[in-house]
Amino acid sequence: MDHFAPQESCAALRDEVRSVTSAWRSQGRYSPRSDAWLRAFDLEFSKELAARGLIGMTWPAEFGGGERSNVERLAVTEELLRAGAPVAAHWIGDRQIGPAILRHGSRELQEEILPQIVSVDAIFCLGMSEPEAGSDLAAVRTTATPADGGWRLNGHKIWTSHAHRATHAYVLARTERTERKHHGLTEFVVDMGAAGVMVSPIVDLAGEHHFNEVRFEDVFIPAHRVIGEIGAGWRQVVEQLSFERGGAERVLSSYPVFAQMVAHAAQQSDSELRVVVGSLVSRLAVLRQLCWEVARALDSGQAPVQQAAALKYLGNAFERDVIEALRRTELGREPTMSSSFGQALLASPGFGLRGGSAEVLLSLIAKQETRA
Ligand SMILES: Cc1cc2nc3c(=O)[nH]c(=O)nc-3n(C[C@H](O)[C@H](O)[C@H](O)COP(=O)(O)OP(=O)(O)OC[C@H]3O[C@@H](n4cnc5c(N)ncnc54)[C@H](O)[C@@H]3O)c2cc1C
């Protein structure tokens, strides 16, 4: 696969995404919003990107992929995030489940699932967290036990975004009880339509429904739906988290309101505000560089666990400071549930929790550092 990503190719991709998002906006088909990659779900929009070859961009052509580089994919994801576009239908499959299956899945699983992610016929949700297993993910209690021709899944997942719309779930389950909780975990692909899968909604403090609880009662999983090695799920999920943590969404979730603040500051004579905004703009430039380095590392075949954790930690701090700076401006006064700032403010407590909290990331970075 040729990973050379000439600037012209990235520029052409950026132009294409800008023209799609601007056409959709001008036709009134969506309004930009913060945290759109998690909260704004529009199957038609994702299908349009699929038709343009903008999903599964880095995957082999034999699975419907575009054989492009992660740097080119970053150009596309940055533009989608900047536009606050409704990308939630394909984001999880494209960002992390496809890459995890490509890295560890059997040929049969790759042939079955990857083309469906590319065409957005498969919509994935993430079944990792449980009531007693969030930061301490290795404490998962959901079990998968061997059955004729596959496995039987029993357990309870929580905070599962878009489980009520997903066709498939990625599930981390315990396949063996051992002294060491990081051992005996296995990754699966589960049909959300299978008998025994029950989804119930959780409405968040913004009044929105993307979270769910998911219960599995004796759900049958065919044998080929194991991702990778049985019992090696922990090692694999740590790698997968680098796909989850290392993208531009860890920096640009609140970009639509940040852009409004930059434009607002440019028209003000408030020098203090200009200094704050200028400093945020330069931090954003550094973070974009870090995103680029993660993309380069992915292009060279690595799973950049430590860089991705650092990117998420620094990106979360940046976005928290964006929200705080906005509070000082007219744009941040009297937020409502539906105003741009109101939406960003209500989404922001989740930024530092999902995909690993600050404490978890710092501990992971420290462990990696002392191992080096
Ligand atoms: C918007 C959003 C979307 C999400 N979507 C999904 C999804 O689709 N699928 C999914 O599986 N999960 C999802 N999650 C869940 C998310 O991964 C968990 O919230 C996260 O792992 C934290 O777990 P917890 O909520 O149980 O909090 P806890 O683990 O209870 O942590 C609460 C606080 O305690 C701190 N803490 C915990 N342990 C330690 C420690 N040992 N040392 C120091 N501090 C500690 C944490 O840093 C955190 O600040 C989502 C969460 C959010 C906010």
Side-chain angles (χ1 to χ4, degrees):
M1 205 180 294
D2 180 8
H3 289 311
F4 179 59
Q7 280 200 330
E8 308 85 70
S9 135
C10 288
L13 286 164
R14 285 185 191 279
D15 283 348
E16 182 173 359
V17 176
R18 285 179 194 181
S19 98
V20 175
T21 51
S22 118
W24 271 63
R25 268 198 313 265
S26 59
Q27 293 158 15
R29 295 172 81 182
Y30 89 90
S31 302
R33 61 161 299 169
S34 291
D35 217 24
W37 66 270
L38 183 77
R39 288 160 193 276
F41 187 107
D42 186 328
L43 193 53
E44 260 189 73
F45 185 80
S46 293
K47 291 265 185 191
E48 163 133 20
L49 296 183
R52 292 170 174 274
L54 299 178
I55 298 180
M57 285 177 64
T58 63
W59 308 350
E62 60 183 321
F63 303 126
E67 306 215 337
R68 288 181 180 259
S69 66
N70 280 282
V71 170
E72 286 166 300
R73 179 175 179 269
L74 177 60
V76 169
T77 53
E78 273 198 342
E79 291 306 321
L80 290 167
L81 293 161
R82 291 183 62 206
V87 292
H90 69 272
W91 201 260
I92 302 294
D94 182 54
R95 172 183 77 182
Q96 73 191 88
I97 304 305
I101 291 175
L102 256 181
R103 233 175 140 77
H104 299 292
S106 64
R107 178 87 197 170
E108 188 181 0
L109 190 63
Q110 292 174 344
E111 283 174 355
E112 180 194 5
I113 299 292
L114 296 175
Q116 291 189 59
I117 296 179
V118 169
S119 60
V120 211
D121 290 309
I123 298 166
F124 268 87
C125 62
L126 277 181
M128 292 187 188
S129 306
E130 297 183 5
E132 302 301 327
S135 299
D136 187 12
L137 183 59
V140 295
R141 291 181 184 166
T142 294
T143 58
T145 46
D148 199 14
W151 301 80
R152 288 277 167 198
L153 184 69
N154 282 283
H156 178 190
K157 298 288 176 181
I158 195 167
W159 314 125
T160 324
S161 301
H162 299 295
H164 56 307
R165 292 167 161 144
T167 57
H168 296 74
Y170 158 91
V171 172
L172 183 67
R174 186 158 295 289
T175 43
E176 197 190 336
R177 294 216 175 277
T178 65
E179 293 277 296
R180 302 167 73 181
K181 66 181 176 185
H182 294 88
H183 293 188
L185 294 167
T186 303
E187 300 180 294
F188 295 92
V189 171
V190 177
D191 274 336
M192 289 302 283
V197 178
M198 284 157 293
V199 178
S200 40
I202 303 174
V203 175
D204 73 7
L205 53 81
E208 293 179 331
H209 170 210
H210 67 87
F211 282 140
N212 299 276
E213 287 192 66
V214 184
R215 288 188 166 74
F216 302 105
E217 264 181 36
D218 257 348
V219 176
F220 178 70
I221 314 175
H224 78 280
R225 289 287 189 82
V226 170
I227 306 176
E229 211 180 308
I230 293 163
W234 184 255
R235 179 172 48 77
Q236 293 178 193
V237 79
V238 168
E239 281 182 15
Q240 191 198 122
L241 287 169
S242 64
F243 308 134
E244 178 172 350
R245 293 172 177 155
E249 65 268 43
R250 303 307 176 182
V251 177
L252 296 175
S253 285
S254 50
Y255 187 85
V257 285
F258 180 59
Q260 285 174 15
M261 181 166 64
V262 174
H264 174 73
Q267 288 162 0
Q268 309 295 311
S269 51
D270 179 346
S271 55
E272 209 182 311
L273 176 64
R274 283 162 168 256
V275 169
V276 170
V277 172
S279 139
L280 287 167
V281 169
S282 33
R283 278 168 72 189
L284 177 57
V286 174
L287 288 164
R288 288 186 65 207
Q289 181 65 27
L290 201 46
C291 291
W292 188 81
E293 280 174 21
V294 169
R296 293 283 295 178
L298 291 171
D299 278 339
S300 63
Q302 301 166 44
V305 174
Q306 190 175 2
Q307 289 114 302
L311 170 62
K312 183 173 185 297
Y313 176 74
L314 296 172
N316 288 162
F318 164 75
E319 296 219 70
R320 188 190 57 223
D321 292 348
V322 165
I323 301 289
E324 284 309 312
L326 264 155
R327 278 178 195 272
R328 292 188 57 247
T329 71
E330 276 165 38
L331 302 169
R333 269 181 220 130
E334 297 177 18
T336 64
M337 297 293 262
S338 57
S339 66
S340 307
F341 179 62
Q343 286 177 339
L345 186 63
L346 286 163
S348 62
F351 294 178
L353 266 178
R354 62 189 180 197
S357 65
E359 291 82 358
V360 169
L361 299 171
L362 286 176
S363 130
L364 191 151
I365 293 165
K367 279 184 198 150
Q368 296 265 336
E369 198 61 34
T370 49
R371 250 180 235 149

